[in-house]
Amino acid sequence: MKTMQRKTDESYVSKDLAAKRAAAVVAALMLSVASMLAVGCDSSRSSSSQTAAKPAGAAVPEDVQSAADAFLGKEATVLVFGDLAKNGNRQLLAANVVPKTPKNTLPGTIVTRAVLAEESGGSWHELVRCDEHLKNDKGYLGGSPIGPVAGWRVQFEQNAIEGFHLYLTPVKGNDDPHVLPLAVRWNPAVKRYQTLDRNYEHFLTEAGSLGPARSHL
């Protein structure tokens, strides 16, 4: 009788241990699944945050594109626009961009012509023209090449204090790393764009008037 009781007790103990082990396994599985779901949710939230953080490209207003077309023709591309000079007026940089082809393997944005223009008094007027030469309404910009240039590499950046910085590198059929870019920036003292010296510290005066380069629309 005692032997049967002992066996019965052992059976209850074995079942109890098995139940506890099964419960532990189920709990572990549930914890694992919950962890995977949490990681998935976090990844989804992170991906959504990164997507939302990506700025959408600003659409070019119709009047800005129309002004660019008037200066450079229907092939004009507006590269940047806004209060570039930090003077309260809208400005634009537009160019005739050379498309990338097997013959054009030069890095960066290569243009044949470019214009910096400003809107004031309800109309747009040209501030700087970059074609075979680099000039404003006072003449050649200081430090620019004397001979005609077939194309230019265009780079630019925005400075919160100084405003728009434009860098123009003359291109003559090859990519010469020794050719330094010309830096063009708004000079608030004379209220026009001028080039800077090679140290990018001081403005250079224009050389030799080419006649009025300023045209009104």
Side-chain angles (χ1 to χ4, degrees):
M1 190 70 177
K2 291 183 178 179
T3 302
M4 289 182 63
Q5 183 67 38
R6 188 180 300 116
K7 288 182 178 181
T8 302
D9 292 342
E10 289 176 353
S11 176
Y12 285 142
V13 170
S14 298
K15 290 181 179 179
D16 187 51
L17 288 174
K20 289 182 178 179
R21 288 173 183 170
V25 170
V26 171
L29 287 173
M30 291 179 65
L31 180 61
S32 176
V33 171
S35 298
M36 293 174 65
L37 289 174
V39 170
C41 290
D42 288 342
S43 299
S44 177
R45 281 195 295 268
S46 176
S47 176
S48 298
S49 297
Q50 291 175 1
T51 302
K54 292 180 180 179
V60 178
E62 185 177 348
D63 65 319
V64 173
Q65 185 63 58
S66 296
D69 293 344
F71 287 120
L72 296 174
K74 291 297 184 181
E75 300 300 319
T77 300
V78 177
L79 300 178
V80 65
F81 65 92
D83 186 4
L84 304 183
K86 304 297 182 183
N87 64 351
N89 293 332
R90 284 198 307 170
Q91 296 183 348
L92 66 84
L93 171 65
N96 295 133
V97 179
V98 179
K100 292 295 182 183
T101 65
K103 292 184 178 180
N104 174 26
T105 58
L106 295 172
T109 302
I110 308 300
V111 308
T112 54
R113 297 187 300 165
V115 162
L116 268 169
E118 181 178 77
E119 180 191 32
S120 64
S123 63
W124 289 85
H125 58 268
E126 190 173 295
L127 300 176
V128 173
R129 176 165 287 266
C130 174
D131 44 31
E132 291 184 337
H133 301 284
L134 184 59
K135 52 189 177 288
N136 61 15
D137 61 341
K138 300 298 181 181
Y140 291 106
L141 295 190
S144 58
I146 296 176
V149 176
W152 301 82
R153 178 179 295 106
V154 175
Q155 298 168 288
F156 54 86
E157 62 183 5
Q158 289 277 20
N159 184 290
I161 299 176
E162 297 171 341
F164 183 66
H165 290 205
L166 174 62
Y167 300 96
L168 297 167
T169 307
V171 176
K172 296 184 178 180
N174 57 7
D175 187 23
D176 187 351
H178 301 293
V179 177
L180 296 176
L182 294 165
V184 180
R185 204 176 78 205
W186 180 261
N187 183 351
V190 297
K191 293 182 172 53
R192 63 178 180 269
Y193 281 98
Q194 292 182 314
T195 46
L196 295 166
D197 61 17
R198 288 304 183 186
N199 293 322
Y200 302 149
E201 295 177 348
H202 305 290
F203 288 101
L204 301 175
T205 57
E206 297 80 358
S209 176
L210 299 177
R214 185 182 177 115
S215 57
H216 289 269
L217 299 179

